[in-house]
Every structure is written in C-alpha cells, then in structure tokens.
C-alpha cells in the first residue's frame, strides 16, 4: 500500500491524536528504517527512545521469539522466571529494593504517585499527599500524570484533574522549599527534562533536593522514563548525579520495542504497595520481561555504557563542528541530545532533516531532539552528520 492510500484509511479509522510526519514506515535494521516506498532513513529518534538496541536486533527478537513459543502471557496470580529475572537485574544494578511492573511510562508514574501517597498515609495518616514536581516537566497523559506534569497547557479539557500537585522552578531550591509543607509527601522530577527541551538539571540543585527529601521524609521520585536504560551513558541517569532516589520510574527503552514500564522502590519503601493496592493485567508478562532481560544483558555493561558516552560525545562534537550559525549549542548527556536553534525553528529543521533522510524529533521551544539507538554505529552517525551539514549549513 502507498503512503497516500494508508493515510486515507488512517484518517478514516484512527483517531486523529498525533501530528504525524508524512511517512509510513515499513521495516528497519540497526539504526536504519525504510518507508513503504523503499526510501531509507537514519533513525536518530528510536521510537522516542524505545528501540534502544536498534531494529531487528537478534538479541531482542530472538529472546521474544523463544519466549512466545514457551509462554506468552500469564496473569500476575502466578510467578514466572523472566519477570523475577528483570526485577533482580534492576535491583542489583542500582541498590534499590523491589520492582513493580507496569506497561508504560505514565502508568509507572501513576504507580510511583500511589506508592508515595500510601507511604505517607501508612506512616503519618491522612493529609500528607501533595507531590511537588517541576515546571516544564512531563510525566504522562493519564488524568493524574497530566496534572503531575508542570506545563499548564496540559491542564485543560479533562477536568476534574487529580488534586495534590504543586510546581517549583527547576534549579530554584528556595522556590521548591516554599512549595513543600506539612501536606507534602514527595518530590518528583526528571533529571533531564526530555519533552520540555532536553534540559539537564543542575547537579547542586539535585543534591540539595535529595537532602531536603531526607530531612522532611519526602520520597524522591526520579522519572527515568526517557533518561533510563543507558540513554545518558549510565544505566540510570540518577547514577550520573550521585544520588540515591526513593523511587525510580522507567519504560521506553526497557523493552527495546515492546510495551513495559516499571516502578522501582528503595528498600525503605518497597513494601508499601501490597496485594489489592496496586495491579495491572499485563504488567511483567513473560514476553515483555524476556525482551527486557535481553536489553539489560546488553545495556547493563560498563563497556557498553562507556561506548554510549563516547558516541554521544562524537555526535555532539560532530554537530558543533558543522559550524552552522543556526546551531546555538547542543545540550544533553550520552545519546540524549538537543540541538538548540532559534525558538520555533526546531520543527522547520526537523522537517528538513526528515525530508532528507534523518529521523529526529523536537522538544520544548527550540530543541531538535536526538535519541538514536544506543547501538548506532559511527558509520551511521557520519551518514546522519553529512545530511545535517546539508540542512543546517545550506539554509534555504
Ligand atoms: C519523562 C517522561 N515521563 C513519562 C512519559 C510518559 O510515558 P508513556 O508515553 O510511555 O506513558 C514520558 C513520555 O515521553 C516521558 O518522557
């Protein structure tokens, strides 16, 4: 089917909730994708950070294939080895306590919010349920995680939203302290605001927030949905910041392409959620955990993580050395990068890059966001840089 034919049927049958690029993708290999007309692209977006080991990676596809023939799904009323293995790997790699499996980033954050509120309720009784998040954050699209998101444009239409959120300016400890009171149970934040514009938090601010949380017995929830699973050159970005969160949420890269999310809690709060207080039918099903185990077998390796950091530096330096006056800098860590351009121009550049065969996404007001597969090769990065040169240095 051609793009035009598919698009016509999409418009007829699929709800119009996405501003999609005018491309219908067909298949992929490594960091390359092909559309239905056979046009080739280098993918610097990996399904918004999901396909962390690239396309058709036999480590992931082989693990899924083996598992689906053995046992595709069972309910959480039974124990399975893949699920236990994923949790064990995550806990041993981070010093955290235990894991709850969900299906997406928003659901993982819902779990974290429930955990924080119950932790506080169990210890202090009712009335301590407020969660402070940061302006410009993004935490998901459910009615609760929209309200957790510190961007007012997400607080429309779907009233009434879940109560109990307040927002502080990133990097402003005094503002954050002023939002914390006797009704607060947690602080929740991304260490690099992804959707907000690829904005890394200041390390001193993050350390001070950790300290404040300890003093006030607030749970420090770190949303690693976008930054987790090797994306920033550490298994989790909190390891770059030398902090020990109480709760870490993840999704995207964890399954390498299949839907899985998880909430990981520290030993001090990992027994808060008990039978009957939280559940989901598909959470931690053997197929997605087999995929996650395959992903973690590759990513949870200091050598692989060092390569992510090296590739990130190479890509960043390659972009800066284009010397384009349109590029005002490159932000981010590892292979989570934002090319900073004039406000509003990010979509213009993204569209031109895509037209010329490099898939990127945008973030915030001025960032062309790059989240390539962590397995991208130097040859693939060079090919992408050659197209970037065309786009950023030959402005129409
Ligand atoms: C930091 C962060 N949290 C939560 C989410 C929501 O994840 P999902 O779309 O899987 O629900 C996202 C998605 O982009 C995200 O970047």
């Amino acid at each position: 089917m051609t793009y035009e034919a598919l698009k016509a049927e999409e418009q007829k049958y699929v709800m119009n909730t996405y501003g999609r690029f005018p491309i219908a993708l067909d298949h992929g290999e490594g960091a390359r994708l092909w559309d239905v007309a056979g046009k080739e692209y280098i993918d610097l977006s990996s399904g918004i950070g999901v396909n962390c080991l690239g396309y058709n990676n036999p480590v992931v596809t082989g693990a899924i294939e083996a598992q689906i023939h053995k046992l595709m799904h069972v309910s959480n009323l039974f124990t399975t080895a893949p699920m236990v293995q994923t949790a064990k790997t995550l806990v041993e790699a981070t010093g955290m306590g235990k894991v709850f499996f969900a299906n997406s980033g928003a659901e993982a954050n819902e779990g974290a919010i429930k955990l924080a509120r119950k932790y506080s309720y169990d210890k202090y009784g009712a009335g301590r349920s407020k969660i402070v998040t940061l302006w410009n954050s993004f935490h998901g699209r459910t009615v609760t995680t929209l309200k957790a998101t510190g961007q007012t444009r997400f607080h429309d239409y779907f009233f009434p939203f879940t109560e109990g959120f307040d927002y502080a300016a990133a990097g402003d400890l005094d503002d954050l302290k002023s939002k914390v009171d006797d009704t607060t149970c947690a602080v929740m934040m991304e260490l690099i605001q992804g959707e907000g514009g690829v904005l890394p938090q200041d390390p001193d601010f993050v350390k001070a927030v950790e300290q404040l949380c300890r003093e006030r017995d607030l749970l420090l929830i770190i949303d690693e949905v976008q930054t987790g699973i090797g994306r920033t050159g550490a298994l989790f970005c909190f390891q770059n910041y030398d902090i020990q969160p109480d709760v870490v949420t993840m999704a995207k890269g964890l399954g390498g392409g299949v839907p899985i999310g998880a909430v990981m809690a520290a030993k001090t709060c990992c027994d808060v959620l008990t039978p009957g207080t939280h559940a989901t039918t598909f959470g931690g099903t053997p197929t997605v955990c087999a995929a996650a185990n395959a992903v973690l077998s590759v990513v949870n390796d200091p050598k692989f993580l060092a390569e992510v950091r090296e590739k990130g530096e190479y890509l960043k330096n390659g972009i800066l050395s284009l010397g384009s006056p349109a590029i005002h800098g490159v932000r981010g860590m590892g292979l989570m990068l934002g090319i900073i351009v004039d406000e509003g121009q990010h979509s213009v550049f993204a569209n031109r890059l895509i037209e010329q065969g490099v898939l990127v996404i945008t973030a915030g007001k001025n960032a062309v966001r790059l989240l390539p597969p962590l397995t991208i090769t130097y040859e693939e990065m060079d090919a992408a840089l050659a197209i970037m040169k065309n786009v950023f240095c030959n402005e129409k």
Side-chain angles (χ1 to χ4, degrees):
M1 241 181 176
T2 62
Y3 166 73
E4 287 73 21
L6 274 171
K7 191 68 194 174
E9 298 225 321
E10 180 190 312
Q11 280 166 342
K12 199 165 164 198
Y13 298 117
V14 182
M15 285 193 200
N16 181 26
T17 63
Y18 299 99
R20 296 188 209 270
F21 294 110
I23 296 172
L25 291 168
D26 183 65
H27 64 282
E29 192 70 43
R32 291 180 196 267
L33 283 165
W34 285 264
D35 70 14
V36 288
K39 181 173 170 185
E40 183 179 322
Y41 302 85
I42 298 188
D43 182 20
L44 302 187
S45 64
S46 48
I48 319 189
V50 169
N51 302 293
C52 60
L53 300 188
Y55 299 94
N56 199 24
N57 187 318
V59 177
V60 181
T61 55
I64 294 172
E65 204 176 336
Q67 187 59 48
I68 59 175
H69 293 300
K70 206 172 165 201
L71 188 66
M72 197 186 300
H73 170 84
V74 286
S75 76
N76 274 305
L77 303 177
F78 302 94
T79 298
T80 64
M83 185 255 306
V84 174
Q85 181 59 54
T86 311
K88 187 176 173 194
T89 307
L90 289 169
V91 164
E92 288 182 352
T94 57
M96 298 290 285
K98 291 181 187 173
V99 180
F100 173 88
F101 289 105
N103 310 289
S104 68
E107 266 186 77
N109 286 336
E110 287 270 346
I113 291 162
K114 285 176 71 177
L115 190 155
R117 287 182 170 178
K118 185 165 182 300
Y119 171 84
S120 201
Y121 184 90
D122 289 349
K123 211 163 163 184
Y124 302 100
R128 202 172 173 276
S129 57
K130 183 168 85 177
I131 297 177
V132 179
T133 71
L134 299 183
W135 288 117
N136 203 41
S137 57
F138 184 78
H139 296 297
R141 293 281 190 164
T142 60
V143 170
T144 298
T145 56
L146 277 175
K147 197 66 179 166
T149 292
Q151 301 187 53
T152 48
R153 70 190 170 97
F154 289 109
H155 301 165
D156 280 332
Y157 314 123
F158 310 113
F159 309 102
F161 287 96
T162 308
E163 289 172 12
F165 292 96
D166 204 349
Y167 315 97
D172 187 340
L173 189 65
D174 289 338
D175 188 33
L176 193 129
K177 277 184 173 165
S178 77
K179 303 292 163 56
V180 168
D181 58 23
D182 291 344
T183 68
T184 310
C185 66
V187 175
M188 175 168 171
M189 63 187 186
E190 303 156 87
L191 293 172
I192 304 176
Q193 292 185 330
E195 302 302 307
V198 193
L199 293 157
Q201 302 290 344
D202 170 51
D204 291 339
F205 172 70
V206 172
K207 271 289 201 197
V209 174
E210 182 191 35
Q211 174 70 24
L212 178 72
C213 287
R214 298 287 162 268
E215 285 164 17
R216 307 283 298 245
D217 197 13
L218 310 174
L219 294 195
L220 176 58
I221 304 171
I222 301 296
D223 179 341
E224 295 251 18
V225 169
Q226 197 158 145
T227 52
I229 319 299
R231 176 58 51 195
T232 67
L235 187 61
F236 289 98
C237 193
F238 79 77
Q239 295 164 317
N240 293 325
Y241 279 83
D242 190 28
I243 55 165
Q244 198 59 48
D246 299 296
V247 180
V248 176
T249 58
M250 69 199 85
K252 291 192 185 285
L254 180 59
V258 295
I260 178 172
V263 189
M264 188 163 59
K267 294 187 180 83
T268 45
C269 58
C270 64
D271 292 319
V272 165
L273 296 174
T274 48
T277 59
H278 201 45
T280 171
T281 299
F282 285 114
T285 205
T287 306
V288 295
C289 285
N293 291 333
V295 167
L296 290 169
S297 75
V298 175
V299 178
N300 185 28
D301 172 355
K303 203 164 150 270
F304 183 88
L305 294 167
E307 279 168 20
V308 171
R309 294 193 292 275
E310 282 158 23
K311 288 179 194 175
E313 282 302 303
Y314 184 83
L315 192 54
K316 183 177 171 178
N317 291 334
I319 294 163
L320 291 172
S321 65
L322 296 177
S324 165
I327 295 177
H328 305 312
V330 178
R331 287 196 289 252
M333 274 182 215
L335 285 169
M336 177 171 182
L337 298 173
I339 305 174
I340 310 312
V341 295
D342 283 344
E343 197 168 316
Q345 289 298 298
H346 53 345
S347 315
V348 176
F349 283 112
N351 282 316
R352 278 194 216 153
L353 285 162
I354 291 167
E355 262 166 44
Q356 298 202 26
V358 176
L359 299 189
V360 296
I361 41 181
T362 58
K365 295 191 172 100
N366 64 355
V368 175
R369 185 171 25 151
L370 312 180
L371 300 167
L374 306 179
T375 48
I376 191 167
T377 63
Y378 284 87
E379 182 265 323
E380 286 163 338
M381 285 192 284
D382 285 343
L385 285 166
I387 295 173
M388 284 185 190
K389 185 166 188 227
N390 232 358
V391 168
F392 285 111
C393 301
N394 298 321
E395 283 193 68
K396 281 174 210 159

